[in-house]
Amino acid sequence: MSSFLAQAQEEMLIGQLVDRLVVRENYNENGVFLNKQTFQAGELKETDGYYEIEVVTELFDKNGKSTDKYSTSYRCRPEESSIMVMAFPFSNPKSKETEINTNSENFKELYDLDNLEDVELEMSFDSGLLDFFGSKSKIKIYDRILESNGNGKSIRSKINIKAYAIGIRIKQLNYAVNENLNNKGLLSHQKFTEEDGSYFTMTYK
């Protein structure tokens, strides 16, 4: 039974992305639309002890004109499957494959709505090509508050990200985050707001 429940939880977490279209829209501190990206995620594959998802990314300018399109394969071990949920909103790799690794005791419970504890983790990427993460990052998700809405649940939280390259901290970012989940426990919308008021949204379809 415990094995079955663990597998079900992993499938739910990875299901936040599998076979879904995700749209990211970016806005400046005045709320002016800047550009957007679309991510079409494929089916979940299991290869050599890893979970793998192929994602086709297309970039659009502020006028809706396509400026680039490429495909990336994301890999992680099953016990680290939920790391994709946090890495995905920030990713912009142009490598053919990005392997994500994490060191955390409780990240698998990120969307355990009965136990929204603070989460601290370290992430590393074999490609080193994520948008601002560098090759290794330390992430803290804290002050997590669960609320009910008409169609599901919402989570308010804060995120602190410290990005490192060659052991040197190159960037630190702080976000206020609002996440909406439908009645099946799947993400429907996220909003990440920086300290200067600029923000981006992720819509899951």
Side-chain angles (χ1 to χ4, degrees), residues 24 74 83-93 98 100 121-125 127-140 159-166 168-173 175 192 200:
R24 170 173 168 160
Y74 291 84
I83 192 66
M84 287 189 184
V85 180
M86 184 48 57
F88 195 71
F90 302 97
S91 63
N92 188 21
T98 294
I100 302 171
L121 57 98
E122 289 187 3
M123 293 197 304
S124 60
F125 313 91
S127 69
L129 293 176
L130 291 191
D131 196 11
F132 62 75
F133 273 130
S135 58
K136 180 177 288 186
S137 292
K138 293 183 178 180
I139 296 179
K140 181 177 181 181
I159 298 179
N160 172 260
I161 302 172
K162 297 176 182 177
Y164 295 82
I166 322 177
I168 301 172
R169 194 175 79 191
I170 57 175
K171 189 175 295 187
Q172 175 169 291
L173 293 171
Y175 288 92
F192 296 81
F200 68 87

Side-chain angles (χ1 to χ4, degrees), residues 95-136:
S95 59
K96 291 184 179 179
E97 182 175 295
T98 294
E99 183 176 320
I100 302 171
N101 296 288
T102 182
N103 179 19
S104 173
E105 294 182 358
N106 62 344
F107 192 82
K108 286 178 65 176
E109 301 175 2
L110 181 62
Y111 291 102
D112 179 356
L113 302 185
D114 295 321
N115 189 22
L116 290 177
E117 295 182 351
D118 291 354
V119 177
E120 294 189 47
L121 57 98
E122 289 187 3
M123 293 197 304
S124 60
F125 313 91
D126 67 340
S127 69
L129 293 176
L130 291 191
D131 196 11
F132 62 75
F133 273 130
S135 58
K136 180 177 288 186

Side-chain angles (χ1 to χ4, degrees), residues 64-77:
K65 180 181 178 180
S66 177
T67 59
D68 201 0
K69 188 175 184 179
Y70 52 87
S71 179
T72 301
S73 178
Y74 291 84
R75 282 165 47 97
C76 71
R77 294 192 180 279

Side-chain angles (χ1 to χ4, degrees), residues 12-201:
M12 182 197 75
L13 290 165
I14 208 76
Q16 303 289 359
L17 302 179
V18 171
D19 289 328
R20 303 185 77 182
L21 174 67
V22 184
V23 180
R24 170 173 168 160
E25 295 182 316
N26 304 292
Y27 299 83
N28 69 14
E29 62 274 15
N30 297 314
V32 177
F33 174 73
L34 300 176
N35 51 52
K36 75 173 184 178
Q37 296 90 41
T38 63
F39 307 91
Q40 181 62 64
E43 63 181 14
L44 176 67
K45 299 179 181 179
E46 293 188 51
T47 306
D48 298 327
Y50 281 82
Y51 280 168
E52 187 171 310
I53 299 178
E54 192 80 16
V55 178
V56 176
T57 301
E58 189 164 8
L59 312 182
F60 298 86
D61 63 18
K62 63 180 180 180
N63 298 314
K65 180 181 178 180
S66 177
T67 59
D68 201 0
K69 188 175 184 179
Y70 52 87
S71 179
T72 301
S73 178
Y74 291 84
R75 282 165 47 97
C76 71
R77 294 192 180 279
E79 63 269 20
E80 300 173 339
S81 59
S82 64
I83 192 66
M84 287 189 184
V85 180
M86 184 48 57
F88 195 71
F90 302 97
S91 63
N92 188 21
K94 287 193 176 182
S95 59
K96 291 184 179 179
E97 182 175 295
T98 294
E99 183 176 320
I100 302 171
N101 296 288
T102 182
N103 179 19
S104 173
E105 294 182 358
N106 62 344
F107 192 82
K108 286 178 65 176
E109 301 175 2
L110 181 62
Y111 291 102
D112 179 356
L113 302 185
D114 295 321
N115 189 22
L116 290 177
E117 295 182 351
D118 291 354
V119 177
E120 294 189 47
L121 57 98
E122 289 187 3
M123 293 197 304
S124 60
F125 313 91
D126 67 340
S127 69
L129 293 176
L130 291 191
D131 196 11
F132 62 75
F133 273 130
S135 58
K136 180 177 288 186
S137 292
K138 293 183 178 180
I139 296 179
K140 181 177 181 181
I141 308 169
Y142 60 102
D143 289 353
R144 307 178 74 202
I145 300 174
L146 178 67
E147 299 176 338
S148 296
N149 57 48
N151 299 314
K153 304 288 186 179
S154 62
I155 302 172
R156 289 191 290 115
S157 61
K158 297 177 181 177
I159 298 179
N160 172 260
I161 302 172
K162 297 176 182 177
Y164 295 82
I166 322 177
I168 301 172
R169 194 175 79 191
I170 57 175
K171 189 175 295 187
Q172 175 169 291
L173 293 171
N174 292 286
Y175 288 92
V177 184
N178 287 291
E179 301 178 278
N180 294 326
L181 295 90
N182 61 27
N183 53 19
K184 295 181 179 180
L186 294 177
L187 284 167
S188 59
H189 188 266
Q190 295 170 304
K191 182 178 179 181
F192 296 81
T193 305
E194 290 193 54
E195 293 175 302
D196 65 358
S198 60
Y199 65 94
F200 68 87
T201 61

